[in-house]
Structures are given as structure tokens and as C-alpha cells.
Amino acid sequence: MQRLEDFRLFYNHTIHPELMRMEKKRKRLLLLLFFSILLFISIIILEIYLDVLALTLFFMVPIGFYASYLLIQIKRFVDAFKPGVVDLVLDFIDDGPNFGDLKYDSKGLIPKQRFLDSRIFATKAPEYKGEDFIFGKIGELDFELCELNVRESSRVQAKMESVFRGVFLHAKTNIPTQGAIIVWPREFKQYLTRSIKAFTAKGGDNIDESLEVESFRELFTTYATPDASIFKTLNYEMQVELANYTITTGKEIFASFIGDDIYVGISEPKDILEPYIFRSNVSFDLVKEFFEDLQMLFSIVDTFDSNN
């Protein structure tokens, strides 16, 4: 709670002024768009009234150039918005204890094979897209995360269906670790039959009854191999944290601990921090949601680092 209050102060003093600066750009673009529409309508009416083909063709060229210019300006605004905000959020986070310098690449993503290595989703991921790559160090652990949108062909209908959409993190420990543990949302269990079967075929078994936190057992189903250090990896504190976050946000969390690797995914049905054009982007809640997703991911890695 204190961390969120500190972030609110940081938002008021640092992020809010940047959002206000971007808001002025948005309003200028909107005004330009409004007058452009009026101009286009006026020209069309004039062309209909005069009914001169040569005049219509004459106006088509500058109209085409102007429309292209306007679209480019809107795209520049959209492309610049998220990096500006993300950089500020990361500046706040990496000033906290146990964090190294965090880096951001708006076009980068976690490699597809690394996503598949998590063993959370049994898929070949024929459609794999990502952006907003963040990497750095938490304690002694190196990590990377990004937004992912993974889809595959439906077995029932002739269309693509979602496998995972949200924020996905991978971290690498420097301590030799044995075994594998996978945590799936219980609500999605019926859609994860292939994933569960693939894991049990490799020696995994259900361990729900051995976990202490009731709310965690109700929300998640957990499988582990016999050689996994269950209570060292998925301890009481982490169980409570995962359950509380799911209850508070309504988002689904997927996690696996495969040897020396940690994989965590948080579902997110919409693009995070994508700016609006026709309404204001000056909103604490807009930035807070992104911050809390990162905090949850980092907290899992930090808890694992502290226990090992």
C-alpha cells in the first residue's frame, strides 16, 4: 500500500505533467482533424456544385497529401505516448530497493521458444506477436518481460483463437534448481487439458491438496514433478499474493517454475497504455493498472529470489 501511495506522489509530480503535455498535442491533433473534415466536406460540396472533372482531379492530389500528413501525425502521437509513460514508470520502479537499471524497447519481445519453454500452454503458437520489451535485474535474477498476443487455429471453427494475451515475464535464477511446478487458473482448466496432459506425461502430478492457502486452492490448480521443492518455491507468502491479486483485479495469472527458469503471465484483454485520440489520456487509473501489473510480476520474482 505504501508503495502505491509513493507512486501516486510520483505520478502527481512527474507523470501527470508529461500527460498534460501530451494532452495538448492530442487536442491540437483533434482540432486539426475537425477542421480537416470541414474542409474536405466543403471541397466535396464545391465539386458537386461545379461538376467540373478537371477541378475534382486537381483537388484530389493535395487532399491525398494532406490526409497522409494527418495520419502520420496521429501515428507519431500514438507511437510516442507509451514509451514516454513507460520510461517514467520504470524510473520510479528501479529507484526501489533490489532493482537494477531497467531498460525498455518498444518494438522488442520475448523469443517464441522461450514462451513455449514455459510449458504453460501446449501450442505451436503459429501467430506470435509482442511488443514493449522490458529487461533488467531484480536482486540476483535477470528478467525480461513484454506484452504478448498468442493465437492458434481453432479446432472447432475456421478461425484463429486466443492462447494468451497479456504481460509475460521470464526470469533466470543463478541457483541450480530441480523439478518443475506449473500454476494454472482453475477457471481455465477445461481449456488447458492439452497442457495438463503434456505435463503429467512428463511426470507431473496434482498437488492442490498439499497447499496451505484455501483461496489459492480455489483459484488455481497446481501440478509439480516429484523432485520439485514445492514449499520453497511456492511458499505461503506467494500463494497469498497470487490469490489476492486475482481477487482484486479479476485478471488471470499463469506461472511455471521449470528448473532455473521462472515464467509468469498476467492476462490482459486490451492493449496496455494505448492512448486515446477522441478522449483524454490524463488518468491515474490508466497508469496505475500498468504499474500494478509490473509490481505483481516483479514481486513474484523478488519473493523467489528472497527465498533462494
Side-chain angles (χ1 to χ4, degrees), residues 77-79 81-82 272-277 279 281 286:
F77 170 79
V78 171
D79 289 346
F81 181 87
K82 186 186 285 189
I272 303 170
L273 282 180
E274 291 296 330
Y276 302 110
I277 298 297
R279 73 183 197 195
N281 296 294
L286 180 73

Side-chain angles (χ1 to χ4, degrees), residues 33-279:
L33 184 61
F34 174 74
F35 283 117
S36 300
I37 292 171
L38 287 181
L39 177 62
F40 293 163
I41 292 172
S42 300
I43 291 173
I44 290 170
I45 292 172
L46 178 64
E47 289 174 354
I48 293 172
Y49 177 74
L50 295 176
D51 194 23
V52 179
L53 180 60
L55 185 64
T56 301
L57 294 174
F58 174 79
F59 278 121
M60 286 299 291
V61 175
I63 288 174
F65 277 116
Y66 186 73
S68 298
Y69 166 79
L70 194 57
L71 290 173
I72 289 170
Q73 294 306 307
I74 292 173
K75 187 177 186 305
R76 282 179 178 172
F77 170 79
V78 171
D79 289 346
F81 181 87
K82 186 186 285 189
V85 176
V86 171
D87 283 336
L88 292 176
V89 173
L90 294 182
D91 282 345
F92 172 79
I93 292 174
D94 67 17
D95 282 342
N98 218 27
F99 281 94
D101 190 26
L102 305 182
K103 303 292 185 182
Y104 172 66
D105 176 4
S106 63
K107 302 300 182 185
L109 75 161
I110 289 174
K112 179 177 174 178
Q113 188 56 51
R114 202 155 292 154
F115 173 81
L116 299 178
D117 288 343
S118 72
R119 297 163 68 180
I120 297 173
F121 306 99
T123 179
K124 293 183 179 179
E127 187 176 302
Y128 184 84
K129 298 178 181 178
E131 61 180 355
D132 298 319
F133 184 66
I134 298 170
F135 60 100
K137 207 172 186 67
I138 303 174
E140 298 300 318
L141 279 68
D142 293 313
F143 81 91
E144 56 187 351
L145 68 85
C146 71
E147 284 187 55
L148 286 180
N149 187 3
V150 185
R151 292 156 59 87
E152 66 179 2
S153 299
S154 171
R155 293 187 170 191
V156 180
Q157 298 174 308
K159 65 175 185 178
M160 301 296 283
E161 62 182 11
S162 178
V163 174
F164 174 77
R165 184 177 182 181
V167 185
F168 191 82
L169 174 144
H170 166 251
K172 187 78 174 177
T173 75
N174 54 13
I175 301 171
T177 306
Q178 290 185 325
I181 302 170
I182 303 184
V183 178
W184 285 289
R186 186 172 293 279
E187 185 180 345
F188 278 70
K189 187 175 181 179
Q190 60 179 318
Y191 306 109
L192 295 164
T193 306
R194 280 188 296 155
S195 303
I196 294 172
K197 283 184 177 179
F199 189 63
T200 54
K202 297 290 185 180
D205 198 10
N206 185 270
I207 58 166
D208 290 345
E209 294 304 318
S210 63
L211 299 174
E212 311 119 292
V213 181
E214 183 179 354
S215 58
F216 181 87
R217 295 196 306 271
E218 290 174 354
L219 291 167
F220 300 97
T221 184
T222 308
Y223 286 71
T225 55
D227 55 344
S229 301
I230 299 168
F231 298 106
K232 187 176 181 182
T233 301
L234 195 62
N235 63 8
Y236 183 90
E237 179 186 355
M238 190 177 291
Q239 291 177 47
V240 170
E241 200 164 13
L242 290 172
N244 286 345
Y245 189 80
T246 299
I247 292 167
T248 303
T249 66
K251 296 181 180 181
E252 303 297 343
I253 298 178
F254 305 79
S256 67
F257 306 85
I258 311 292
D260 303 341
D261 295 281
I262 302 169
Y263 305 91
V264 187
I266 295 179
S267 67
E268 180 57 67
K270 62 182 183 299
D271 289 332
I272 303 170
L273 282 180
E274 291 296 330
Y276 302 110
I277 298 297
F278 297 101
R279 73 183 197 195

